[in-house]
Amino acid sequence: MLIESIFVAEYTKVDERPNIVLIVADDLGFSDLGCFGGEIDTPNLDRMAQQGQRYTHFYTNAKCSPSRAALLTGLYPEQVTEKADGGTLHERNNVTIAEMLKDAGYRTLASGKWHLGESQERRPLARGFERYWGLLSGCSNYFNPGEQREGEPLPGRKSPDERRPWCDHDTVMQPFTPVDPDFYTTDAIADHAIEFLEDCGGGDAPFFLYLPHCAPHFPLQAWPEDIAKYRELYQVGWAEIRQRRYARLLELGLIDPRWGLPAADERSDSSFENLGEHAAEAMAVYAAMVDRLDQSIGRVMDKIRALNKEDNTLVLFMSDNGGCAEEIHNTPGLAPGTIDSYQTVGAAWANASNTPFRLFKDFDHEGGIATPLIVSWPAKMKRRTEGAREKAAPKERFQDDGVVINDLAHILDLWPTFAELAGVKQPVRHDHRQLLQPTGRSIASLIKGKNSDLHAPEEERELFWMIGGARAMRQGKWKIVTQGRERVQAGIPIPSGHEPWELYDMEADRCELYNLAARYPGKVKAMSKKWDVWYKQCLSDTRKE
């Protein structure tokens, strides 16, 4: 597709532009990784963090498809999807990262979960990717997404008639019944990414690899050898694991001790009881899924190294939202993990995954929208000297041979960041239609280790969220948030009494313990008016042709 008003101008040599690998986990909590305070074995991601950067104040949206829409377009999902909480990505007013980079000469590859539309005009190939394999919709059985295979039990499903659409290049597979008896989704996503790199990553043109994994989104299913590593570890229970993670986060300096640790979510005890005799096993399976995710990332990185491309490859790892508290136990008589099981980890373990924050996926409190971000780029992130440490920016801190970035960043920032690093001017029009301009801010200077006045402490950057009945806005250090009206959100009952805006000072109280709305009603009123203006503008933007 022709994109008007794009040019490559920043670099004199195209091979100076970085390859870009964007890895997205699904429903991973803030503290699940070893380098973010967790006990799960994640050596490949830990290595990236130790050689690169960890961002402690990185925000996404609170659900899968809204985050993907914002990630790929640099726009709020309310501007570019057909539903306010995500869904199908329309093409009228936006250009994806892949379309932008492809026009600039990048090879554009994707393997994994799409979740932005299943019709031909809205699949990955129509939105700028030249190669694609993966799951078009939300979640699926990890061992066999399709029909029962001979000699195996019936695959566990979310509903009896569930047959999720998968896609190979532009051919939809529904149902998708793998021939290989050793098929496992996380492994297969990595296998296809490696195949694409083998075919397209070795030439002179830079590549963009989008790697949106399904793991560790439910159902809880993992290889037995991975589960065995964690079976004993979680016998101590979710509350003890949460306390250990909190202590480790403090030790690593990734959180502020002023924030405290919120009381355990009131849903947690009943959630743990619902898992019954399989309570510890559920988290063991979840950990095994994260472990296998890390293994698969290691295999992809091995391929990039084999192609001699590692030094100038920018790698980013993030989660699409916080840990998920949904309670779906379709096979309560079976231990989680197997092909015929279908269970979720539940609110108790999700509470631990999101340590130290409140609430979960589908909520705009920090537990739903704050996720890890790891950035690695060996060519620009060589280990610094003590002199460089002394010159570090005020919000930049060295730790474990890596750098911890405490600047505020948002998923919207990745589009302009990639555009800047690729030397691409943001397009104004596409196919004779006016495009909305991405509202994020490039963090390229942070990635390169340079000071930037875009993230000065006194700046009051404004960010907005909406998911279901939940809403939020952040302005500088202030955040207003509400769980919204009485309803059921992602299977979790929200009682009445949570409709009013809450107000928090995110510098002193990022765990949202002390609601200051009654003390500063003027601040709440002013910010809520801005939220209303933002939402009305989003509704107008979705109608633009």
Side-chain angles (χ1 to χ4, degrees):
M1 291 187 292
L2 176 64
I3 300 176
E4 302 172 30
S5 302
I6 281 186
F7 61 90
V8 179
E10 183 178 349
Y11 299 108
T12 57
K13 297 180 181 179
V14 294
D15 59 6
E16 293 179 357
R17 296 178 295 167
N19 306 303
I20 300 172
V21 178
L22 178 57
I23 309 169
V24 183
D26 199 335
D27 290 4
L28 182 86
F30 183 81
S31 65
D32 279 330
L33 305 179
C35 54
F36 272 83
E39 67 292 327
I40 302 173
D41 191 19
T42 54
N44 293 293
L45 289 168
D46 294 350
R47 175 177 177 268
M48 286 185 198
Q50 289 163 3
Q51 296 180 346
Q53 299 173 335
R54 270 167 286 186
Y55 287 68
T56 62
H57 289 67
F58 179 70
Y59 286 111
T60 62
N61 293 299
K63 198 170 184 177
C64 308
S65 62
S67 285
R68 284 161 174 75
L71 174 66
L72 289 176
T73 66
L75 296 163
Y76 284 106
E78 291 79 9
Q79 296 175 286
V80 294
T81 58
E82 294 182 346
K83 296 187 297 181
D85 61 350
T88 301
L89 176 67
H90 66 64
E91 70 282 358
R92 294 189 302 272
N93 57 11
N94 64 85
V95 170
T96 69
I97 290 173
E99 289 169 316
M100 177 261 290
L101 291 177
K102 185 177 182 180
D103 188 74
Y106 274 69
R107 307 298 299 270
T108 52
L109 321 168
S111 179
K113 173 177 171 177
W114 180 243
H115 209 194
L116 289 172
E118 300 170 13
S119 61
Q120 187 172 23
E121 66 273 14
R122 291 174 179 176
R123 294 178 206 149
L125 265 63
R127 297 312 313 264
F129 290 99
E130 59 178 287
R131 300 290 292 274
Y132 173 71
W133 183 91
L135 174 64
L136 286 178
S137 64
C139 60
S140 187
N141 190 294
Y142 280 81
F143 290 111
N144 179 7
E147 303 294 351
Q148 183 177 7
R149 295 181 296 212
E150 185 176 355
E152 292 183 347
L154 185 70
R157 299 190 177 103
K158 191 172 184 179
S159 59
D161 59 348
E162 178 190 63
R163 304 292 189 279
R164 298 296 178 108
W166 290 63
C167 190
D168 183 359
H169 202 53
D170 206 27
T171 300
V172 175
M173 303 175 288
Q174 189 179 20
F176 169 47
T177 307
V179 175
D180 184 358
D182 293 324
F183 177 90
Y184 183 71
T185 295
T186 304
D187 297 336
I189 289 172
D191 291 342
H192 285 85
I194 291 168
E195 175 190 335
F196 295 163
L197 288 170
E198 177 67 31
D199 294 344
C200 306
D204 293 333
F207 60 81
F208 169 54
L209 172 61
Y210 178 44
L211 200 57
H213 273 276
C214 298
H217 193 294
F218 62 78
L220 295 174
Q221 294 172 336
W223 290 114
E225 61 268 28
D226 292 336
I227 300 171
K229 290 175 60 176
Y230 300 98
R231 185 162 283 123
E232 296 301 319
L233 178 61
Y234 294 108
Q235 296 294 330
V236 297
W238 66 274
E240 175 62 22
I241 293 296
R242 184 169 179 255
Q243 289 291 338
R244 293 178 184 179
R245 290 190 178 193
Y246 179 67
R248 179 64 174 155
L249 284 163
L250 288 173
E251 179 185 342
L252 292 172
L254 298 176
I255 59 174
D256 191 324
R258 293 182 299 168
W259 299 344
L261 181 65
D265 190 272
E266 60 188 15
R267 306 164 185 83
S268 294
D269 286 335
S270 60
S271 166
F272 201 67
E273 292 173 2
N274 289 341
L275 290 166
E277 63 179 318
H278 303 309
E281 188 79 355
M283 188 59 186
V285 177
Y286 179 91
M289 296 170 76
V290 176
D291 188 313
R292 180 62 61 157
L293 171 65
D294 182 83
Q295 293 178 49
S296 77
I297 292 168
R299 292 199 294 120
V300 172
M301 292 309 301
D302 286 344
K303 184 61 183 179
I304 292 172
R305 280 188 283 273
L307 293 170
N308 295 316
K309 298 285 187 176
E310 181 183 30
D311 198 46
N312 197 34
T313 296
L314 170 66
V315 183
L316 301 95
F317 173 90
M318 55 174 282
S319 179
D320 59 354
N321 46 250
C324 178
E326 283 190 68
E327 299 280 346
I328 303 173
H329 303 302
N330 290 346
T331 56
L334 295 175
T338 59
I339 188 174
D340 50 343
S341 66
Y342 201 103
Q343 297 192 46
T344 61
V345 76
W349 289 116
N351 204 172
S353 285
N354 294 334
T355 305
F357 301 127
R358 286 179 56 199
L359 293 174
F360 322 97
K361 171 186 177 180
D362 280 292
F363 294 89
D364 286 332
H365 286 71
E366 295 292 282
I369 60 176
T371 84
L373 174 64
I374 300 171
V375 180
S376 173
W377 187 3
K380 299 295 182 181
M381 295 180 178
K382 300 295 185 184
R383 187 170 296 180
R384 303 185 187 187
T385 65
E386 289 301 319
R389 289 171 181 258
E390 295 172 0
K391 297 177 182 178
K395 287 192 175 183
E396 179 183 285
R397 187 177 54 77
F398 287 84
Q399 190 270 325
D400 287 349
D401 295 329
V403 178
V404 173
I405 303 292
N406 295 317
D407 290 78
L408 185 67
H410 191 278
I411 196 171
L412 295 175
D413 298 340
L414 299 187
W415 202 109
T417 299
F418 296 165
E420 179 179 343
L421 294 175
V424 176
K425 183 179 179 181
Q426 296 183 14
V428 176
R429 297 182 62 83
H430 168 248
D431 195 22
H432 308 292
R433 292 196 299 269
Q434 191 75 18
L435 297 175
L436 299 175
Q437 292 300 290
T439 55
R441 303 181 181 186
S442 173
I443 59 171
S445 60
L446 288 174
I447 291 173
K448 293 177 181 179
K450 299 177 181 178
N451 294 333
S452 171
D453 58 5
L454 290 178
H455 299 267
E458 66 273 10
E459 181 192 27
E460 291 199 345
R461 184 179 185 185
E462 296 179 354
L463 296 169
F464 303 87
W465 291 269
M466 177 180 178
I467 186 73
R471 295 168 288 157
M473 177 192 175
R474 181 156 174 175
Q475 183 182 41
K477 74 171 186 176
W478 295 103
K479 178 182 176 183
I480 56 171
V481 61
T482 173
Q483 295 183 42
R485 65 187 182 280
E486 181 178 1
R487 68 196 186 287
V488 175
Q489 182 89 346
I492 300 175
I494 307 300
S496 60
H498 293 281
E499 293 85 0
W501 286 106
E502 304 162 17
L503 175 69
Y504 298 101
D505 176 347
M506 301 303 285
E507 290 183 358
D509 179 29
R510 196 177 173 206
C511 288
E512 300 167 312
L513 295 176
Y514 304 103
N515 181 7
L516 302 177
R519 185 182 300 181
Y520 301 109
K523 172 65 71 174
V524 174
K525 183 177 180 180
M527 291 179 68
S528 64
K529 282 185 176 179
K530 288 193 172 186
W531 190 96
D532 291 338
V533 170
W534 165 79
Y535 184 57
K536 288 178 182 178
Q537 182 60 53
C538 288
L539 293 179
S540 174
D541 289 341
T542 59
R543 293 190 288 267
K544 288 182 179 178
E545 294 292 340

